[in-house]
Amino acid sequence: MMKKILLALLSSALCSLPLSSFSQKGPIPAHWHKGVTYEIFVRAFADSNGDGIGDIKGMTRRLDYLQELGVKGVWLMPISPAPSYHKYDVVDYKDIDPEYGTMADFKQFVKEAHARDIKVILDMVPNHSSSLHPWFQAAMKDPNSPYRDYYVWQDSAKVRGQEHWYSPKDASGKILGGQKYYGFFWHGMPDLNYDNPKVRAEMIEAGRFWLKEVGIDGFRLDAVRHVYPDAEAAKNHAWWREFRRELDKVKPGFFTVGEVWAPDSQVAPYLQQGLHSVFNFDLSFALVKALQTGDAAGLAPLHKRIQNLYQTVDPAFVDATFLTNHDQNRIMSEVAGNTGKAKVAAALLLTLPGSPFLYYGEELGMTGMKPDEYIREPFLWADSLHSPDRTRWISPKYNTQETLKPLQEQQKDQSSLWHHYKTLISLREKNEALHSGVLKPIILPLSQVSAFRRISPTQRLVVVHNTSDKEVTVAIPGLKKRKTKLLFASQKIIWQKDQVVLPGYGSVVLEEK
Ligand SMILES: [Ca+2]
Ligand SMILES: [Ca+2]
C-alpha cells in the first residue's frame, strides 16, 4: 500500500513537469553511473618536453597510471588557447593552446584513452570569452561590428554601481568612452550575449567540433547558471535544452556534467533540461564538515534527501559526487593533514551513491589552500625534483618531497592513501550495490558514525564509517555475523557477537547473505 502511495506521489510529481522534460535528453551511457572520473589540471599533471608546463603528451604517457588507479573517465580543465594560466578565458573555442600541444597530440590522447576504456570530457566555458578573443576585440573597437552584439553592452550613464560592468580600453590602457560591457567574473572575461542566435550557434558549433571531429565523449560545463543571470533562469534552461537537442544530433547521449554552484533546490531544475548530471556541492560541503567536526550521522540522510529531490526531476540522473575540486581547498588541508580522516573521506565518497569525481593528487593526499594557484600544484610522480614528468609551472608551497610521499613511494607501500583509493575504486566497480544500489541510511545513536545499506537486485551491503579517532562498537539492526562476508575493512575489525568494533577512522563494507 505504502509503495502504491509513493508511486502515485512520484508520478504526480513527474506529471507536473513539462512533457518535454525527459524526451529532451538521450539516454545516459551506463559508463557514467559505474565509473570514477579523474579531474586533471593539465598544466600541473605531466610534462613531456622538459619546459616545466604539463602537456597533452605528458598525460598520454600517464594514461597507464590512470588505468592502474582504475578510473574510467577524465575531465580536463580547459585546454583551448587562453592568456591566463588556468585557461578559463578562451580566445579560440576550436583549438588547443600551443603550451599544451597540438590537435594531433590531443586526438592521439583521446584514441589512447579510449583504448583503455577511459572516457574523455572537456571543460567547456560558454558564459564568457577572453577579452582578447577576436570577437571581443572587434566588438570593442567598432560599435558597428557584427561582433558587437556577441557581448552585453549598456550606456555608461545607465549602469548603476560599477559591479560587473567595465569600460573598454585600447591597447595603451586608455579608457574608451561610450558603452560599458558586462563581465560577471572579471573584466578580462566579458559575458557572451545568448540572446544573439549567432552566439548560440557558435557554441553549438564548438560542441560539434569536439564531439564529432575530435571524438571526445562530453563536457563539464562551466558556470552553467551564469549564462543568463538568475533573474532570467527560464532563458538559461531554454539555452541548455537547445544545446542538448542540437548536439544529440551529433553524438546521441553525449555526457554533460554541469557546475551549478548553488543549493540543491536551485540545482535540480537543470537536470530537467539539458544536463545529465550536476556536481553535488551540498554533499561536498557536508563531507568536509563531517570530517572536520567528527559528526557524520547526518551524511547518509542528507545524501538520500538530495537524491530523492533530483530523482523526481530525472530518475536517471547521474549524481556527480566529489570531495573538493580545483576551486576549493584540497581535502587533505581541510582535514589538517590527518591521513586517517582523509581515508574516511575517500571511503565515504567511494561507498555512497553517485558517480565520484577525484581531483588529481587527492589520491596522494596533496594539500593546498587558496589562492587558487596553490590548490593546483604540480603532481608528485617521483622523488627527485627533476624526476621525469614533474611539472614546474609554479614553485610549490605545499607539496614538496619533504611534505608528501610521491606516487612512486606510495605505490610500494600497501598502507598508503594511494593504495586505499585504488582498492576502493576497484571494490566499487566490482560490486553492483556500491555503484548502482539504492541508499538506505541506518540511524544509530552514534554521532561519529555514518552507516548505511546499499541494495541492488543481486546484492545487499552494510557500510560503516567511523569519523572519530576512537574505537566504536556499532550495533546494526538486522546484522548477523554468521550471515555476512567481509568485503573491505580499512583496518582490522573485531566482532562482539553481532556487533562490529570499528577502530578510529575505520571503514568497513560487509555483504549480507
Ligand atoms: Ca611541456
Ligand atoms: Ca552570462
Side-chain angles (χ1 to χ4, degrees):
M1 190 61 186
M2 199 57 197
K3 208 171 185 178
K4 268 187 186 166
I5 293 169
L6 282 175
L7 279 174
L9 280 174
L10 184 66
S11 60
S12 73
L14 296 181
C15 287
S16 67
L17 295 171
L19 281 176
S20 57
S21 57
F22 302 131
S23 57
Q24 292 290 346
K25 289 188 286 187
I28 303 167
H31 192 93
W32 299 103
H33 282 290
K34 283 180 70 173
V36 170
T37 306
Y38 189 87
E39 177 189 1
I40 299 178
F41 180 41
V42 179
R43 189 176 211 80
F45 194 59
D47 174 27
S48 72
N49 62 357
D51 68 356
I53 306 291
D55 49 50
I56 290 159
K57 277 189 173 164
M59 280 193 307
T60 309
R61 287 211 304 229
R62 290 300 187 166
L63 276 168
D64 287 340
Y65 165 64
L66 296 177
Q67 190 176 29
E68 185 188 359
L69 181 61
V71 303
K72 292 292 180 185
V74 287
W75 150 26
L76 308 183
M77 285 165 64
I79 59 172
S80 286
S84 72
Y85 83 90
H86 53 68
K87 302 198 191 300
Y88 280 95
D89 48 345
V90 177
V91 296
D92 183 347
Y93 283 96
K94 290 165 65 176
D95 207 349
I96 305 270
D97 197 307
E99 278 193 315
Y100 287 178
T102 65
M103 191 58 79
D105 295 344
F106 186 63
K107 284 183 178 170
Q108 185 67 22
F109 171 78
V110 174
K111 193 176 152 196
E112 296 212 15
H114 286 169
R116 291 165 179 80
D117 195 26
I118 294 173
K119 304 272 189 204
V120 179
I121 61 172
L122 276 188
D123 222 313
M124 189 179 213
V125 191
N127 176 64
H128 50 262
S129 74
S130 164
S131 57
L132 297 180
H133 195 294
W135 300 338
F136 189 75
Q137 287 292 307
M140 185 179 71
K141 286 170 188 157
D142 177 9
N144 297 313
S145 158
Y147 293 108
R148 183 77 172 184
D149 195 38
Y150 271 42
Y151 296 89
V152 182
W153 299 90
Q154 201 173 146
D155 290 335
S156 300
K158 285 188 189 163
V159 176
R160 291 201 189 93
Q162 291 304 301
E163 209 186 354
H164 306 314
W165 292 92
Y166 302 95
S167 291
K169 292 177 184 170
D170 69 11
S172 71
K174 188 177 149 241
I175 288 180
L176 303 172
Q179 293 182 308
K180 291 189 173 186
Y181 66 91
Y182 183 76
F184 179 79
F185 291 100
W186 175 45
H187 68 84
M189 304 198 303
D191 279 46
L192 287 157
N193 173 19
Y194 276 77
D195 281 338
N196 183 344
K198 285 186 188 151
V199 168
R200 302 202 300 271
E202 295 271 15
M203 223 41 80
I204 286 163
E205 164 54 20
R208 185 204 62 80
F209 173 79
W210 292 105
L211 292 171
K212 186 81 178 180
E213 288 180 39
V214 185
I216 67 164
D217 303 286
F219 299 101
R220 177 268 183 185
L221 299 165
D222 185 62
V224 159
R225 65 178 263 242
H226 297 295
V227 168
Y228 284 94
D230 284 346
E232 295 181 277
K235 280 184 173 180
N236 218 353
H237 292 313
W239 152 247
W240 290 115
R241 274 200 303 275
E242 182 180 346
F243 183 81
R244 162 63 54 193
R245 186 178 63 239
E246 292 307 312
L247 290 177
D248 259 343
K249 293 174 192 164
V250 173
K251 185 172 265 189
F254 75 99
F255 185 66
T256 44
V257 54
E259 179 202 29
V260 187
W261 197 317
D264 50 17
S265 57
Q266 206 178 337
V267 171
Y270 286 91
L271 292 166
Q272 189 184 328
Q273 315 291 342
L275 310 187
H276 292 130
S277 180
V278 285
F279 287 111
N280 195 335
F281 280 94
D282 281 353
L283 183 70
S284 155
F285 302 146
L287 282 165
V288 170
K289 199 172 166 200
L291 271 306
Q292 288 174 337
T293 61
D295 186 347
L299 273 178
L302 170 83
H303 196 27
K304 185 76 187 167
R305 223 167 32 242
I306 299 172
Q307 288 222 313
N308 286 348
L309 172 69
Y310 291 174
Q311 259 158 9
T312 58
V313 177
D314 179 359
F317 86 107
V318 176
D319 191 1
T321 54
F322 63 102
L323 293 173
T324 61
N325 69 20
H326 66 281
D327 286 323
Q328 296 161 285
N329 292 336
R330 281 185 175 273
I331 182 67
M332 187 55 110
S333 288
E334 291 287 7
V335 298
N338 183 325
T339 303
K341 287 188 181 187
K343 283 188 173 177
V344 185
L348 277 160
L349 176 72
L350 292 163
T351 56
L352 280 166
S355 184
F357 280 67
L358 310 183
Y359 181 43
Y360 84 93
E362 179 182 316
E363 76 276 27
L364 301 184
M366 279 176 69
T367 48
M369 308 274 277
K370 289 196 170 224
D372 288 345
E373 288 87 331
Y374 296 102
I375 51 184
R376 304 169 183 175
E377 289 191 350
F379 188 91
L380 256 66
W381 294 101
D383 234 346
S384 140
L385 183 61
H386 298 293
S387 71
D389 295 2
R390 170 94 63 96
T391 73
R392 304 184 308 277
W393 83 269
I394 191 172
S395 180
K397 195 163 132 186
Y398 290 93
N399 303 286
T400 63
Q401 35 264 77
E402 288 75 42
T403 58
L404 181 75
K405 276 194 183 172
L407 173 69
Q408 205 178 48
E409 278 184 43
Q410 295 202 29
Q411 284 178 318
K412 291 178 204 153
D413 173 8
Q414 289 297 321
S415 70
S416 68
L417 182 63
W418 185 80
H419 268 283
H420 181 71
Y421 266 90
K422 181 172 152 58
T423 304
L424 283 162
I425 291 169
S426 164
L427 183 81
R428 189 177 176 283
E429 195 190 351
K430 287 184 188 135
N431 288 279
E432 180 191 78
L434 274 188
H435 59 71
S436 305
V438 296
L439 173 68
K440 301 258 184 207
I442 299 169
I443 307 302
L444 300 170
L446 297 163
S447 64
Q448 71 274 43
V449 170
S450 173
F452 46 89
R453 282 189 167 84
R454 299 293 310 276
I455 301 167
S456 73
T458 63
Q459 208 180 24
R460 195 179 158 87
L461 305 177
V462 168
V463 184
V464 190
H465 303 281
N466 176 5
T467 60
S468 77
D469 58 355
K470 309 265 182 327
E471 178 182 288
V472 64
T473 303
V474 184
I476 303 286
L479 187 72
K480 296 271 177 275
K481 184 191 172 192
R482 65 187 164 81
K483 287 188 176 174
T484 65
K485 182 179 151 196
L486 179 68
L487 292 190
F488 171 81
S490 62
Q491 300 167 61
K492 195 174 162 46
I493 60 157
I494 303 164
W495 286 92
Q496 279 182 1
K497 293 189 179 165
D498 289 328
Q499 300 188 356
V500 180
V501 181
L502 198 56
Y505 304 129
S507 295
V508 64
V509 180
L510 302 162
E511 184 168 22
E512 292 180 296
K513 293 292 175 194

